[in-house]
């Protein structure tokens, strides 16, 4: 039972990260950023093309991804370039959660 309490706390800790990953349009943004080989980042206009969303909608999704620490940006003059962050803290928490869930599941096997 103690393990389930721990899992509940882990789920709560990464819930916003899971929400950020759960949206198809945000997944499309992540995939498009992964395709960017130059690592210079992409502007909102380029992400509009990838998602077929309006500028405000793309900006909204980018904010959610930034809050989840998946995306960051750099500013050059008046232009913002978005890229995937190299900080993997939230991804590491998700991997640990999945490992813990698997461990609990395996303990329940006979």
């Amino acid at each position: 039972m103690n393990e389930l309490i721990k899992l509940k706390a882990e789920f709560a800790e990464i819930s916003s990260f899971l929400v950020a990953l759960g949206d198809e349009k945000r997944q499309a943004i992540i995939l498009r950023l992964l395709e960017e080989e130059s690592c210079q980042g992409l502007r909102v206009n380029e992400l509009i093309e990838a998602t077929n969303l309006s500028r405000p909608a793309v900006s909204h999704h980018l904010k959610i991804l930034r809050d989840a620490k998946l995306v960051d940006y750099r500013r050059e003059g008046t232009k913002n370039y978005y890229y995937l962050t190299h900080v993997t803290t939230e991804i590491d928490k998700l991997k640990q959660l999945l490992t813990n869930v698997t461990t609990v599941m395996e303990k329940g096997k006979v």
Side-chain angles (χ1 to χ4, degrees), residues 4-77:
L4 296 179
I5 293 170
K6 181 182 173 187
L7 287 177
K8 183 177 180 179
E10 288 181 76
F11 271 113
E13 186 177 348
I14 65 164
S15 65
S16 63
F17 183 77
L18 292 172
V19 168
L21 287 179
D23 185 87
E24 288 181 30
K25 295 299 183 177
R26 289 192 284 275
Q27 293 168 11
I29 290 171
I30 292 168
L31 291 170
R32 179 62 185 96
L33 291 171
L34 283 168
E35 290 174 348
E36 176 56 26
E37 294 177 7
S38 70
C39 296
Q40 297 299 311
L42 297 172
R43 295 185 57 212
V44 170
N45 287 343
E46 295 166 296
L47 295 170
I48 288 170
E49 294 171 12
T51 59
N52 294 318
L53 292 173
S54 67
R55 174 179 287 278
V58 169
S59 294
H60 171 73
H61 287 297
L62 285 168
K63 181 183 181 333
I64 292 169
L65 291 170
R66 284 179 44 223
D67 290 346
K69 298 178 181 74
L70 279 166
V71 170
D72 206 349
Y73 74 99
R74 66 182 168 75
R75 177 169 280 168
E76 285 185 16

